[in-house]
Amino acid sequence: MLHAGSRARINSPAPSPKASGARTTRGPASLTVIANRLPVHRVSTASGHRWESSAGGLVTAMAPVLRKVKGAWVGWAGGTTKIRPFHHEGVSIRPVGVNREEVEKFYNGMSNRTLWPLYHDAIRTPDFQRSWWEKYVEVNQRFAKAAAKASPRGSLAWVHDYHLQLVPQMLREMRPDLRIGFFLHIPFPPEELFEWLPWRSQILRGLLGADVVGFQTYKAAQNFSRLCRSLTEADGTDTDLHYAGRRIRCGSFPISIDFDWFDRRAKHPQTRAKALELRAKLGARRKVMLSVDRLDYTKGVLRRLQAYEELLEQGYVHAEDSVFVQIATPSRETVSDYAALRDEVEQAVGRINGRFSQPGRVAVQYFRRNLTRDDLIAYYVAADVMLVTPLRDGMNLVAKEYIACRPDNDGVLVLSEFAGAAHELTRALLVNPRDQTSFVETIRAALRMPTDAARMRMAFLRARVKRHDVFNWSEEFLAALRHGRHEPRPRSSHAHA
Ligand code: GDG
């Protein structure tokens, strides 16, 4: 969720009433968030520039807590110019400088060409380069120093994501008085893959510097604990490790969204009007299928297009009566795997449209751009079927956003088994996106699902996401960090919707 470029232009949603209340603000300790990106981005104006809040679950969840405790956010502003600390909407912003060579080696290299593919089932072959690792260590050290400087005595520090896995240990060495948490937004791989990493024990020791290490799924937490027990001196259980005389809690803390905010936006008359207008343009009587992804090879865009092509080939759908809308947000375009993926996707869209479109009726509507948040919500409201079919995904917030945007309990979600969200959203139509036969069948089933059955499923899904929203997520993590306790959620206990 902290990737450059994916949501940079979006204005932050106004938090729902829950966000400003007591739900997230128990306890006296101040908090420092340490994440690759800052929660703000620079916008040019006639007289220079101003800072605006960035959108995204993490910012929405953390901003009210940070304002209340007068906390700080340590992160990178995205460019290579030096920026001095400043305050934004009650939060102390502590920019960390990253130079051009570090962007290349720490960010594009080690983070996005080694760790990202390795942690996503090695869908693309990870590249291991010593010079990238060296910069990763240096930049992590800089983040740790900035966090040490920003954190009051005895306060909480919450480190986020795969870019900063060494920070917990580095920060502990500088500031043993802090309680340190770490949350990984992406999957944590099984032993067979993690062991490829030349710096595997350094990464594990880095994470073991935290008091609480949180993951999206119980399986990821288990992978981590088992690896710690086999590759470091840590011992203990899947949820409770002992290392260097300390106790470390591991567990699953599935991230979520501000459900009430999406629900309200989806019901708003302006959104309804916009969605109707979209439906009229797409063809009022056509079935609308929708996907929304960063253009990333983990998201399974090509497999999905192939499944749709087969539906058209078999005559199960026709361009006259249905349309597939693929919104693909540009992402990491300077990394070659991403440029290659874009070419492949665009060729596939061209091929399918060449074969199956009809005059005035395009089979696949493809948008490679960032939509405004309001436009995105109008698409969620307009879509009869949502296809969220990554090959591997930490959680996938798009699936939860679609659910929150269906206040009438209509609409069908087709969801990959390999998204973290599948552990919670078991009333979606779950699919293995590599099994094309069942993929095609599942889309057909979604298109033909009787209204009552669809409503029943959607009501369950909505109840689940409403109950476990993003405020609930941050509250649970911070409670575990403050009090050193976390009731682990085994798969079965959070599998019911
Ligand atoms: C990582 C993990 C985990 C997308 N296109 C537009 C747009 N978006 C917004 C969506 C959603 C977000 O971007 C994408 O979040 P995801 O969770 O689906 O995926 P990643 O970016 O890969 O996030 C993932 C997440 O971190 C959180 O922990 O769930 O597994 O990979 O919020 O709405 N927003 C706008 N225009 C677009 O065109 N406005």
Side-chain angles (χ1 to χ4, degrees):
M1 77 180 317
L2 305 165
H3 316 297
S6 61
R7 278 157 297 171
R9 288 176 30 232
I10 311 151
N11 283 327
S12 171
S16 72
K18 282 176 185 175
S20 53
R23 283 187 71 195
T24 54
T25 52
R26 248 180 302 120
S30 176
L31 172 69
T32 303
V33 170
I34 304 110
N36 181 47
R37 296 304 295 268
L38 286 171
V40 290
H41 59 278
R42 206 205 292 250
V43 178
S44 301
T45 61
S47 55
H49 73 265
R50 66 166 191 277
W51 292 94
E52 276 184 7
S53 294
S54 300
L58 186 60
V59 179
T60 318
M62 301 316 301
V65 191
L66 284 173
R67 272 198 297 274
K68 180 94 179 180
V69 297
K70 300 199 172 24
W73 192 305
V74 172
W76 173 39
T80 51
T81 45
K82 190 169 161 49
I83 297 156
R84 302 178 71 78
F86 60 98
H87 276 80
H88 180 83
E89 296 180 355
V91 177
S92 166
I93 303 288
R94 308 293 189 106
V96 175
V98 180
N99 68 31
R100 221 173 283 281
E101 188 189 357
E102 289 162 349
V103 172
E104 204 35 52
K105 294 180 174 168
F106 152 76
Y107 184 68
N108 288 336
M110 186 69 198
S111 298
N112 289 333
R113 289 184 57 195
T114 307
L115 296 169
W116 178 270
L118 183 70
Y119 284 28
H120 286 90
D121 291 352
I123 294 168
R124 290 285 185 281
T125 307
D127 201 349
F128 302 100
Q129 305 252 354
R130 271 175 297 184
S131 67
W132 295 354
W133 167 250
E134 283 156 19
K135 288 294 168 210
Y136 186 83
V137 176
E138 275 175 40
V139 174
N140 271 248
Q141 190 77 29
R142 195 172 310 141
F143 272 81
K145 270 190 195 154
K149 205 168 156 196
S151 305
R153 193 158 182 78
S155 63
L156 308 177
W158 189 357
V159 185
H160 290 264
D161 230 358
Y162 62 103
H163 318 84
L164 303 177
Q165 294 172 97
L166 303 177
V167 169
Q169 177 60 24
M170 291 170 168
L171 184 55
R172 177 162 302 283
E173 277 162 23
M174 296 173 207
R175 293 292 305 275
D177 60 296
L178 301 177
R179 283 199 64 81
I180 303 170
F182 180 89
F183 182 76
L184 185 69
H185 290 259
I186 68 175
F188 196 83
E191 286 156 83
E192 295 84 339
L193 286 176
F194 189 80
E195 282 166 357
W196 291 4
L197 196 61
W199 313 283
R200 56 199 188 186
S201 51
Q202 289 96 315
I203 297 266
L204 294 175
R205 284 177 217 285
L207 294 169
L208 284 167
D211 296 291
V212 178
V213 186
F215 299 88
Q216 303 275 25
T217 62
Y218 184 69
K219 187 78 191 56
Q222 225 176 15
N223 289 343
F224 171 71
S225 309
R226 288 183 182 170
L227 274 156
C228 287
R229 294 197 301 265
S230 71
L231 297 178
T232 75
E233 305 74 45
D235 59 22
T237 65
D238 284 350
T239 54
D240 215 346
L241 290 170
H242 297 270
Y243 173 76
R246 292 183 305 107
R247 183 178 190 194
I248 295 120
R249 301 306 175 101
C250 318
S252 78
F253 296 83
I255 199 169
S256 195
I257 57 165
D258 184 347
F259 178 93
D260 292 341
W261 185 84
F262 279 96
D263 181 56
R264 272 203 317 276
R265 290 303 304 170
K267 288 174 183 154
H268 198 282
Q270 259 175 13
T271 314
R272 295 264 153 181
K274 201 178 258 204
L276 272 178
E277 199 183 308
L278 270 176
R279 295 240 21 158
K281 283 185 182 158
L282 290 167
R285 283 208 291 272
R286 287 165 105 198
K287 282 271 188 188
V288 177
M289 281 156 273
L290 174 68
S291 287
V292 177
D293 315 86
R294 265 185 321 98
L295 200 39
D296 193 298
Y297 50 79
T298 59
K299 302 290 182 183
V301 182
L302 270 178
R303 298 245 172 213
R304 197 183 301 142
L305 285 167
Q306 281 157 10
Y308 194 59
E309 187 168 21
E310 187 172 325
L311 279 159
L312 288 158
E313 248 163 23
Q314 302 291 339
Y316 296 145
V317 297
H318 302 274
E320 285 90 5
D321 57 33
S322 53
V323 57
F324 172 44
V325 180
Q326 171 69 61
I327 296 165
T329 315
S331 178
R332 305 179 195 168
E333 294 196 319
T334 54
V335 175
S336 59
D337 279 335
Y338 288 74
L341 173 74
R342 176 183 158 186
D343 288 349
E344 285 173 304
V345 165
E346 292 182 358
Q347 266 180 27
V349 171
R351 185 185 66 236
I352 298 169
N353 280 337
R355 293 180 68 195
F356 298 106
S357 292
Q358 297 293 331
R361 289 284 179 263
V362 173
V364 181
Q365 285 273 353
Y366 170 73
F367 302 106
R368 193 183 61 82
R369 70 194 70 152
N370 248 300
L371 301 185
T372 64
R373 191 145 272 247
D374 281 349
D375 284 349
L376 182 64
I377 290 170
Y379 274 103
Y380 287 147
V381 173
D384 299 300
V385 172
M386 184 82 203
L387 304 175
V388 179
T389 58
L391 302 176
R392 177 63 72 189
D393 217 334
M395 175 56 58
N396 197 295
L397 296 179
V398 166
K400 294 187 173 182
E401 290 167 4
Y402 177 70
I403 290 167
C405 289
R406 310 303 301 187
D408 301 331
N409 290 335
D410 55 357
V412 180
L413 173 65
V414 174
L415 178 63
S416 164
E417 292 165 16
F418 304 107
H423 295 284
E424 289 177 80
L425 307 180
T426 50
R427 294 296 176 108
L429 294 186
L430 297 181
V431 69
N432 170 2
R434 290 178 176 88
D435 176 354
Q436 188 157 321
T437 307
S438 82
F439 199 166
V440 166
E441 273 312 310
T442 308
I443 301 176
R444 279 189 83 194
L447 289 167
R448 296 189 303 191
M449 187 176 288
T451 316
D452 285 356
R455 279 186 202 283
M456 215 152 70
R457 283 175 179 269
M458 187 53 76
F460 268 107
L461 292 169
R462 285 175 60 79
R464 165 70 210 182
V465 183
K466 184 172 171 58
R467 197 168 55 235
H468 186 76
D469 67 8
V470 72
F471 305 109
N472 199 262
W473 168 77
S474 60
E475 192 178 311
E476 273 190 18
F477 189 93
L478 288 172
L481 186 55
R482 280 192 191 103
H483 309 302
R485 72 175 157 70
H486 171 51
E487 299 309 324
R489 301 153 163 267
R491 257 184 88 141
S492 54
S493 83
H494 64 89
H496 62 278

